[in-house]
Amino acid sequence: MQILFCDVDDLTKQYLSEHPAPNGVSYVICEKSLNDMDDDELGKYYDTTDIISTFVYSRLTGELLSKFKNLKMVSTRSTGYNNVDLDYCRAHNIKVANVVGYGEITVAEFAVGLLLNLTRNIEFSHQKLNRGIVNVDQDIGIDLHGKTVGVIGTGAIGRHFARLVHAFGCKVLAYDLYPNQALADEGTCEYTDVETIYKNADIISIHCPATKENYHMINKDTIAKMKDGVYIINTARGDLIDTVALYNALVSKKVKGAGLDVLEYEDIILKNTVESAPEQSKEYILYSLINQKLLQLNNVIVTPHIAFNSIDANYRILNTSMQHMMDFIDGKEIRSVA
Ligand code: NAI
């Protein structure tokens, strides 16, 4: 059996060197995305590849997959499979497995990191010190202990976040469309309605999926209902927050600080290019400006969508996806979406 690993970064290379192919299995390791290789580079693997191990950068379209004549399985090293043509895989009996639940703690810890960084001015004081500026009275922060934290969305990540801030001595108010009674029974949080969170929380952290219904759930009107000087943390998805409304609230100090691992149109910043724009729409130009302006505020910390990215989480992903492939090779049952 031959496994073709694409989108291979240094950490994955390291993992594969620590986990060499067992007898009867061979690895082909490609650093590039499958879409960035032409037939000259990839053609020699079209007939020999049994399994493709992929990260999100490769788009496994039906057209591309059809070139691999003996393909039996696709194993993603990520949650979700929106980069894989599932219809094609179903029609051609190609199993598709993805990794679920590798990074709840990882993202929750990062959200706490953003929160502490903001509330204690860690990054700002460091930046000033780098420029030789010391004015300790401007670096004064707040304790988390005793503060009220609103957690919106208590699924896999939100519930860990709730536990972590509870351990700091915060009072945790939670809101979810489907409250988790076990979490409430632990004494970690108290479920309430979202209006109560807006009214009472000193800190609000968002852990909901980006659905049509949740688009701009934090907006001018909801921010107006929040306490003056509230801190907002978002490690979920950019379009849960209306960036323009948040920017204005940060400037007016209605919102004291924001920790954002995700942004609307974040690819403008991440790719640092305008090529990613579907078109030079008015909206696109607006977000280019607003994201740049956000980055310049000293009460905001923006990180480039890295909350999931710890060595431990990456190893959990690699272990799970490797297990999927080895189980498949051994003829064991695997949970496949196709
Ligand atoms: P999950 O599906 O386990 O939990 C989401 C929770 O939100 C569910 O309990 C759901 O009932 C609740 N919910 C949905 N709409 C709601 C609303 N309007 N009000 C209140 N609750 C609502 O998801 P998980 O794994 O906890 O992920 C949360 C978010 O974190 C997702 O947006 C995900 O995309 C994002 N994420 C971000 C990462 C990063 O690196 N920044 C990495 C992984 C996930």
Side-chain angles (χ1 to χ4, degrees), residues 173-247:
L173 297 177
Y175 172 65
D176 198 293
L177 301 177
Y178 305 97
N180 177 342
Q181 193 51 46
L183 188 68
D185 291 346
E186 282 173 16
T188 301
C189 65
E190 185 188 310
Y191 276 97
T192 180
D193 54 79
V194 74
E195 299 294 323
T196 304
I197 288 186
Y198 292 149
K199 195 165 155 221
N200 295 292
D202 303 297
I203 293 151
I204 294 178
S205 192
I206 306 160
H207 301 282
C208 298
T211 56
K212 205 156 56 80
E213 295 74 30
N214 288 344
Y215 179 75
H216 284 185
M217 67 190 298
I218 303 298
N219 55 46
K220 193 166 158 246
D221 297 336
T222 51
I223 290 173
K225 294 177 188 170
M226 293 177 192
K227 273 176 103 164
D228 290 345
V230 65
Y231 289 91
I232 297 179
I233 305 293
N234 186 10
T235 53
R237 284 294 178 263
D239 64 11
L240 295 169
I241 299 185
D242 177 343
T243 316
V244 177
L246 178 64
Y247 176 80

Coordinates of all heavy atoms in Angstrom, one line a residue, residues 173-247:
L173 N -21.2 32.9 33.4 CA -22.6 32.9 32.8 C -22.5 32.3 31.5 O -21.7 32.7 30.7 CB -23.2 34.3 32.7 CG -23.4 35.0 34.1 CD1 -23.9 36.4 33.8 CD2 -24.3 34.3 35.0
A174 N -23.3 31.3 31.2 CA -23.2 30.6 29.9 C -24.5 30.7 29.1 O -25.6 30.7 29.7 CB -22.9 29.2 30.1
Y175 N -24.4 30.8 27.8 CA -25.6 30.7 26.9 C -25.3 29.8 25.8 O -24.2 29.9 25.1 CB -25.9 32.1 26.4 CG -27.0 32.1 25.3 CD1 -28.3 31.7 25.7 CD2 -26.7 32.4 24.0 CE1 -29.3 31.6 24.7 CE2 -27.7 32.3 23.0 CZ -29.0 31.9 23.4 OH -30.0 31.8 22.5
D176 N -26.2 28.9 25.5 CA -26.1 28.0 24.4 C -27.5 27.6 23.9 O -28.5 27.6 24.8 CB -25.4 26.7 24.8 CG -24.8 25.9 23.6 OD1 -25.7 25.4 22.8 OD2 -23.6 25.9 23.4
L177 N -27.7 27.4 22.6 CA -29.0 27.0 22.1 C -29.4 25.7 22.8 O -30.6 25.4 23.0 CB -29.0 26.8 20.6 CG -28.5 28.1 19.8 CD1 -28.5 27.8 18.3 CD2 -29.5 29.2 20.1
Y178 N -28.4 24.9 23.1 CA -28.6 23.6 23.8 C -27.8 23.5 25.0 O -26.6 23.0 25.0 CB -28.3 22.4 22.8 CG -29.0 22.5 21.5 CD1 -28.4 23.1 20.4 CD2 -30.4 22.1 21.4 CE1 -29.1 23.3 19.2 CE2 -31.1 22.3 20.2 CZ -30.4 22.8 19.1 OH -31.1 23.0 17.9
P179 N -28.3 24.0 26.1 CA -27.4 24.0 27.4 C -26.9 22.6 27.7 O -27.6 21.6 27.5 CB -28.4 24.6 28.4 CG -29.4 25.3 27.7 CD -29.6 24.6 26.3
N180 N -25.7 22.6 28.3 CA -25.1 21.3 28.7 C -25.3 21.2 30.2 O -24.6 21.8 31.0 CB -23.6 21.4 28.3 CG -22.8 20.2 28.8 OD1 -23.2 19.5 29.6 ND2 -21.6 20.1 28.2
Q181 N -26.3 20.4 30.6 CA -26.7 20.3 32.0 C -25.6 19.8 32.8 O -25.3 20.2 34.0 CB -28.0 19.4 32.1 CG -28.6 19.4 33.5 CD -28.9 20.9 34.0 OE1 -29.4 21.7 33.2 NE2 -28.6 21.2 35.2
A182 N -24.8 18.8 32.2 CA -23.7 18.2 33.0 C -22.7 19.3 33.4 O -22.1 19.3 34.5 CB -23.0 17.2 32.2
L183 N -22.5 20.3 32.5 CA -21.5 21.4 32.8 C -22.0 22.2 33.9 O -21.3 22.6 34.8 CB -21.3 22.2 31.5 CG -20.2 23.3 31.5 CD1 -18.9 22.6 31.6 CD2 -20.3 24.2 30.3
A184 N -23.3 22.5 33.9 CA -24.0 23.3 34.9 C -23.9 22.5 36.2 O -23.6 23.1 37.3 CB -25.4 23.6 34.6
D185 N -24.1 21.2 36.2 CA -24.1 20.4 37.4 C -22.7 20.3 38.0 O -22.6 20.2 39.2 CB -24.6 19.0 37.1 CG -26.1 18.9 36.8 OD1 -26.7 20.0 37.0 OD2 -26.5 17.9 36.2
E186 N -21.7 20.5 37.2 CA -20.3 20.5 37.8 C -20.1 21.8 38.7 O -19.1 21.9 39.4 CB -19.3 20.7 36.6 CG -18.9 19.5 35.8 CD -18.0 19.9 34.7 OE1 -17.4 21.0 34.6 OE2 -17.9 19.1 33.7
G187 N -21.0 22.8 38.5 CA -20.8 24.0 39.2 C -19.9 25.0 38.5 O -19.5 26.0 39.0
T188 N -19.6 24.6 37.2 CA -18.7 25.5 36.4 C -19.4 26.8 36.0 O -18.7 27.8 35.9 CB -18.2 24.7 35.1 OG1 -17.6 23.5 35.6 CG2 -17.3 25.5 34.3
C189 N -20.6 26.7 35.6 CA -21.3 27.9 35.0 C -22.8 27.8 35.4 O -23.3 26.8 35.8 CB -21.1 27.9 33.5 SG -21.9 26.6 32.7
E190 N -23.4 29.0 35.1 CA -24.8 29.1 35.3 C -25.4 29.4 33.9 O -24.9 30.4 33.3 CB -25.0 30.2 36.3 CG -26.4 30.5 36.8 CD -26.4 31.8 37.6 OE1 -25.5 31.9 38.5 OE2 -27.2 32.6 37.3
Y191 N -26.3 28.6 33.4 CA -26.9 29.0 32.1 C -27.9 30.1 32.3 O -28.6 30.2 33.3 CB -27.6 27.8 31.5 CG -26.6 26.9 30.8 CD1 -26.0 25.8 31.4 CD2 -26.2 27.2 29.5 CE1 -25.1 25.0 30.7 CE2 -25.2 26.5 28.8 CZ -24.7 25.3 29.4 OH -23.8 24.6 28.8
T192 N -27.9 31.0 31.3 CA -28.8 32.1 31.4 C -29.2 32.5 29.9 O -28.8 31.8 29.0 CB -28.2 33.3 32.1 OG1 -29.0 34.4 32.1 CG2 -26.9 33.7 31.4
D193 N -29.9 33.6 29.7 CA -30.2 34.0 28.4 C -29.1 35.0 27.9 O -28.4 35.5 28.8 CB -31.6 34.7 28.3 CG -31.7 35.8 29.3 OD1 -31.2 36.9 29.0 OD2 -32.3 35.5 30.3
V194 N -29.0 35.2 26.7 CA -27.9 36.0 26.2 C -28.0 37.5 26.6 O -27.0 38.1 26.8 CB -27.7 35.8 24.6 CG1 -28.8 36.6 23.9 CG2 -26.4 36.2 24.1
E195 N -29.2 37.9 26.8 CA -29.4 39.3 27.2 C -28.8 39.5 28.6 O -28.2 40.6 28.9 CB -30.9 39.7 27.3 CG -31.6 39.6 25.9 CD -31.1 40.6 24.9 OE1 -30.8 41.7 25.3 OE2 -31.1 40.2 23.7
T196 N -28.9 38.5 29.5 CA -28.3 38.6 30.8 C -26.8 38.7 30.7 O -26.1 39.4 31.5 CB -28.8 37.4 31.7 OG1 -30.2 37.4 31.7 CG2 -28.3 37.5 33.1
I197 N -26.3 37.9 29.8 CA -24.8 38.0 29.6 C -24.4 39.4 29.2 O -23.5 40.0 29.7 CB -24.4 36.9 28.6 CG1 -24.5 35.5 29.2 CG2 -23.0 37.2 28.1 CD1 -24.0 34.4 28.4
Y198 N -25.1 39.9 28.2 CA -24.7 41.2 27.7 C -24.7 42.2 28.8 O -23.9 43.1 29.0 CB -25.7 41.7 26.6 CG -25.6 40.9 25.3 CD1 -26.7 40.7 24.5 CD2 -24.4 40.3 24.9 CE1 -26.6 40.0 23.3 CE2 -24.3 39.6 23.7 CZ -25.4 39.4 22.9 OH -25.3 38.7 21.8
K199 N -25.8 42.1 29.7 CA -26.0 43.1 30.7 C -24.9 43.0 31.9 O -24.5 44.0 32.4 CB -27.4 42.9 31.3 CG -27.9 44.0 32.2 CD -29.4 43.9 32.4 CE -29.7 44.7 33.7 NZ -30.6 44.0 34.5
N200 N -24.5 41.7 32.1 CA -23.7 41.5 33.4 C -22.2 41.2 33.2 O -21.5 41.2 34.1 CB -24.4 40.4 34.2 CG -25.7 40.9 34.7 OD1 -25.8 41.8 35.5 ND2 -26.8 40.3 34.1
A201 N -21.9 40.7 32.0 CA -20.5 40.2 31.8 C -19.5 41.3 31.7 O -19.6 42.2 31.0 CB -20.5 39.2 30.6
D202 N -18.4 41.1 32.4 CA -17.2 41.9 32.3 C -16.4 41.5 31.1 O -15.6 42.3 30.5 CB -16.3 41.8 33.5 CG -17.1 42.2 34.8 OD1 -17.5 43.3 34.9 OD2 -17.2 41.3 35.7
I203 N -16.5 40.2 30.8 CA -15.7 39.6 29.7 C -16.7 38.7 28.9 O -17.5 37.9 29.5 CB -14.6 38.7 30.3 CG1 -13.6 39.6 31.0 CG2 -13.9 37.9 29.2 CD1 -12.8 39.0 32.1
I204 N -16.7 38.7 27.6 CA -17.5 37.8 26.8 C -16.6 37.1 25.8 O -15.8 37.7 25.1 CB -18.6 38.6 26.0 CG1 -19.6 39.3 27.0 CG2 -19.4 37.7 25.0 CD1 -20.7 40.1 26.4
S205 N -16.8 35.8 25.8 CA -16.0 35.0 24.9 C -16.9 34.1 24.0 O -17.9 33.5 24.5 CB -15.0 34.0 25.7 OG -14.1 33.4 24.8
I206 N -16.6 34.2 22.7 CA -17.6 33.5 21.8 C -17.0 32.2 21.2 O -15.9 32.2 20.8 CB -17.8 34.5 20.6 CG1 -18.3 35.9 21.1 CG2 -18.9 34.0 19.6 CD1 -18.1 36.9 20.2
H207 N -17.9 31.2 21.3 CA -17.4 29.9 20.9 C -18.5 29.2 20.1 O -18.8 28.0 20.3 CB -17.1 29.0 22.1 CG -16.0 29.7 22.9 ND1 -14.7 29.6 22.5 CD2 -16.0 30.4 24.0 CE1 -13.9 30.3 23.4 NE2 -14.7 30.8 24.3
C208 N -19.2 29.9 19.1 CA -20.3 29.4 18.3 C -19.8 29.1 16.9 O -18.8 29.7 16.5 CB -21.4 30.4 18.2 SG -22.1 30.9 19.7
P209 N -20.5 28.3 16.2 CA -20.1 28.1 14.8 C -20.6 29.3 13.9 O -21.5 30.0 14.3 CB -20.9 26.8 14.4 CG -22.0 26.8 15.3 CD -21.6 27.4 16.6
A210 N -20.0 29.5 12.8 CA -20.4 30.5 11.9 C -21.5 30.0 11.0 O -21.3 29.3 10.0 CB -19.2 30.9 11.0
T211 N -22.8 30.2 11.5 CA -23.9 29.8 10.6 C -24.6 31.1 10.1 O -24.2 32.2 10.5 CB -24.9 29.1 11.5 OG1 -25.3 29.9 12.6 CG2 -24.4 27.8 12.1
K212 N -25.5 30.9 9.2 CA -26.3 32.0 8.7 C -26.9 32.8 9.8 O -26.9 34.0 9.9 CB -27.3 31.5 7.7 CG -27.7 32.5 6.6 CD -28.3 31.8 5.4 CE -29.4 31.0 5.6 NZ -30.6 30.8 5.7
E213 N -27.5 32.1 10.7 CA -28.2 32.7 11.9 C -27.3 33.5 12.8 O -27.7 34.4 13.4 CB -28.9 31.6 12.7 CG -30.0 30.9 12.0 CD -29.5 29.8 11.0 OE1 -28.4 29.3 11.3 OE2 -30.2 29.6 10.0
N214 N -26.0 33.0 12.9 CA -25.1 33.6 13.8 C -24.3 34.8 13.2 O -23.5 35.4 13.9 CB -24.1 32.6 14.4 CG -24.8 31.6 15.3 OD1 -25.9 31.9 15.8 ND2 -24.1 30.5 15.6
Y215 N -24.5 35.1 11.9 CA -23.8 36.1 11.3 C -24.0 37.4 12.0 O -25.1 37.8 12.3 CB -24.3 36.3 9.8 CG -23.6 37.4 9.0 CD1 -22.3 37.2 8.6 CD2 -24.3 38.6 8.8 CE1 -21.7 38.2 7.8 CE2 -23.7 39.6 8.1 CZ -22.4 39.4 7.6 OH -21.8 40.4 6.9
H216 N -22.9 38.1 12.4 CA -22.9 39.3 13.1 C -23.7 39.3 14.4 O -24.5 40.2 14.7 CB -23.3 40.5 12.2 CG -22.3 40.9 11.3 ND1 -22.4 42.0 10.4 CD2 -21.0 40.5 11.0 CE1 -21.3 42.2 9.7 NE2 -20.5 41.2 10.0
M217 N -23.6 38.2 15.1 CA -24.4 38.1 16.4 C -23.9 39.2 17.4 O -24.7 39.7 18.2 CB -24.3 36.7 17.0 CG -22.9 36.3 17.5 SD -22.8 34.5 18.0 CE -24.0 34.5 19.3
I218 N -22.6 39.6 17.3 CA -22.2 40.7 18.0 C -22.1 41.9 17.0 O -21.4 41.9 16.1 CB -20.7 40.5 18.6 CG1 -20.7 39.2 19.5 CG2 -20.3 41.7 19.4 CD1 -21.6 39.3 20.7
N219 N -23.0 42.9 17.3 CA -23.2 44.0 16.4 C -23.4 45.3 17.2 O -23.3 45.3 18.4 CB -24.3 43.7 15.4 CG -25.6 43.4 16.2 OD1 -26.0 44.1 17.1 ND2 -26.3 42.3 15.8
K220 N -23.7 46.4 16.5 CA -23.9 47.7 17.1 C -24.9 47.6 18.3 O -24.7 48.1 19.4 CB -24.4 48.6 16.1 CG -24.3 50.1 16.5 CD -24.5 50.9 15.2 CE -25.0 52.3 15.5 NZ -26.3 52.6 15.1
D221 N -26.0 46.9 18.0 CA -27.1 46.8 19.0 C -26.8 46.0 20.2 O -27.1 46.3 21.3 CB -28.4 46.3 18.3 CG -28.9 47.2 17.2 OD1 -28.5 48.4 17.3 OD2 -29.6 46.7 16.3
T222 N -26.1 44.8 19.9 CA -25.8 43.9 21.0 C -24.7 44.6 21.9 O -24.7 44.5 23.1 CB -25.4 42.5 20.6 OG1 -24.4 42.6 19.6 CG2 -26.6 41.8 20.0
I223 N -23.7 45.2 21.2 CA -22.6 45.9 22.0 C -23.2 47.0 22.9 O -22.8 47.1 24.0 CB -21.6 46.5 21.0 CG1 -20.8 45.3 20.3 CG2 -20.6 47.4 21.8 CD1 -19.8 45.7 19.3
A224 N -24.2 47.7 22.4 CA -24.9 48.7 23.2 C -25.5 48.2 24.5 O -25.5 48.9 25.5 CB -25.9 49.4 22.3
K225 N -25.9 46.9 24.4 CA -26.5 46.3 25.6 C -25.4 45.9 26.7 O -25.7 45.5 27.8 CB -27.3 45.1 25.2 CG -28.5 45.4 24.4 CD -29.2 44.1 24.0 CE -30.3 44.4 23.0 NZ -30.8 43.2 22.4
M226 N -24.1 45.8 26.2 CA -23.1 45.3 27.1 C -22.6 46.3 28.1 O -22.9 47.5 27.9 CB -21.9 44.9 26.2 CG -22.1 43.7 25.3 SD -20.7 43.3 24.3 CE -21.4 42.2 23.2
K227 N -22.0 45.8 29.2 CA -21.4 46.7 30.2 C -20.4 47.6 29.6 O -19.6 47.2 28.7 CB -20.7 45.9 31.3 CG -21.6 45.4 32.3 CD -20.9 44.5 33.3 CE -20.5 45.2 34.6 NZ -20.1 44.2 35.6
D228 N -20.3 48.8 30.0 CA -19.2 49.7 29.6 C -17.8 49.1 30.0 O -17.7 48.6 31.1 CB -19.3 51.1 30.2 CG -20.5 51.9 29.6 OD1 -21.0 51.4 28.6 OD2 -20.9 52.9 30.2
G229 N -16.9 49.1 29.1 CA -15.6 48.5 29.5 C -15.5 47.0 29.4 O -14.6 46.4 29.9
V230 N -16.4 46.4 28.7 CA -16.4 44.9 28.5 C -15.2 44.5 27.6 O -14.7 45.3 26.8 CB -17.7 44.5 27.9 CG1 -17.9 45.0 26.4 CG2 -17.9 43.0 27.9
Y231 N -14.7 43.3 27.9 CA -13.6 42.7 27.0 C -14.3 41.7 26.2 O -15.2 40.9 26.7 CB -12.6 42.0 27.8 CG -11.6 43.0 28.6 CD1 -11.9 43.4 29.9 CD2 -10.5 43.5 28.0 CE1 -11.1 44.2 30.6 CE2 -9.6 44.3 28.7 CZ -9.9 44.7 30.0 OH -9.1 45.5 30.7
I232 N -13.9 41.6 24.9 CA -14.5 40.6 24.0 C -13.4 39.7 23.4 O -12.4 40.2 23.0 CB -15.3 41.2 22.9 CG1 -16.5 42.0 23.4 CG2 -15.8 40.2 21.8 CD1 -17.3 42.7 22.4
I233 N -13.6 38.4 23.5 CA -12.7 37.4 23.0 C -13.4 36.6 21.9 O -14.5 36.1 22.1 CB -12.2 36.4 24.1 CG1 -11.6 37.2 25.3 CG2 -11.2 35.4 23.5 CD1 -10.4 37.9 25.1
N234 N -12.7 36.5 20.7 CA -13.3 35.7 19.7 C -12.2 34.8 19.1 O -11.3 35.2 18.4 CB -13.9 36.5 18.6 CG -14.7 35.7 17.5 OD1 -14.9 34.5 17.7 ND2 -15.0 36.3 16.4
T235 N -12.4 33.5 19.4 CA -11.5 32.5 18.7 C -12.3 31.6 17.8 O -11.8 30.6 17.4 CB -10.8 31.6 19.8 OG1 -11.8 31.0 20.6 CG2 -9.8 32.3 20.6
A236 N -13.6 32.0 17.6 CA -14.5 31.1 16.8 C -14.4 31.4 15.3 O -13.6 30.8 14.6 CB -15.9 31.2 17.3
R237 N -15.1 32.3 14.8 CA -15.1 32.7 13.4 C -15.3 34.2 13.3 O -16.1 34.8 14.0 CB -16.2 32.0 12.6 CG -15.8 30.5 12.3 CD -14.6 30.4 11.4 NE -14.3 29.0 11.1 CZ -13.3 28.3 11.8 NH1 -12.7 28.9 12.8 NH2 -13.1 27.1 11.4
G238 N -14.6 34.8 12.3 CA -14.6 36.3 12.2 C -16.0 36.9 12.0 O -16.4 37.9 12.6
D239 N -16.9 36.2 11.2 CA -18.1 36.9 10.8 C -19.2 36.8 11.9 O -20.3 37.2 11.7 CB -18.6 36.5 9.4 CG -19.0 35.1 9.3 OD1 -19.1 34.4 10.3 OD2 -19.2 34.7 8.2
L240 N -18.8 36.2 13.1 CA -19.7 36.3 14.2 C -19.8 37.7 14.8 O -20.8 38.1 15.5 CB -19.3 35.3 15.3 CG -19.3 33.9 15.0 CD1 -18.6 33.0 16.0 CD2 -20.7 33.4 14.8
I241 N -18.8 38.5 14.5 CA -18.7 39.9 15.0 C -18.7 40.9 13.8 O -18.0 40.7 12.8 CB -17.5 40.1 15.8 CG1 -17.4 39.2 17.0 CG2 -17.3 41.6 16.2 CD1 -16.2 39.5 18.0
D242 N -19.6 41.9 13.9 CA -19.6 43.0 12.9 C -18.3 43.8 13.2 O -18.3 44.6 14.2 CB -20.8 43.8 13.1 CG -20.9 45.0 12.1 OD1 -19.8 45.4 11.6 OD2 -22.0 45.6 11.9
T243 N -17.3 43.7 12.4 CA -16.0 44.3 12.7 C -16.1 45.8 12.8 O -15.4 46.4 13.7 CB -15.0 43.9 11.6 OG1 -15.1 42.6 11.3 CG2 -13.6 44.2 12.1
V244 N -16.9 46.4 12.0 CA -17.0 47.9 12.0 C -17.6 48.3 13.4 O -17.1 49.3 14.0 CB -17.9 48.4 10.8 CG1 -18.1 49.9 10.9 CG2 -17.3 48.0 9.5
A245 N -18.7 47.6 13.8 CA -19.3 48.0 15.1 C -18.3 47.8 16.2 O -18.2 48.6 17.1 CB -20.5 47.1 15.3
L246 N -17.5 46.7 16.1 CA -16.5 46.4 17.2 C -15.4 47.5 17.2 O -15.0 48.1 18.2 CB -15.9 45.1 17.0 CG -14.8 44.7 18.0 CD1 -15.3 44.6 19.5 CD2 -14.1 43.4 17.7
Y247 N -15.0 47.9 16.0 CA -13.9 48.9 15.9 C -14.4 50.2 16.5 O -13.7 50.8 17.3 CB -13.6 49.1 14.4 CG -12.6 50.2 14.2 CD1 -11.2 50.0 14.5 CD2 -13.0 51.5 13.9 CE1 -10.3 51.0 14.3 CE2 -12.1 52.6 13.8 CZ -10.7 52.3 14.0 OH -9.8 53.3 13.9

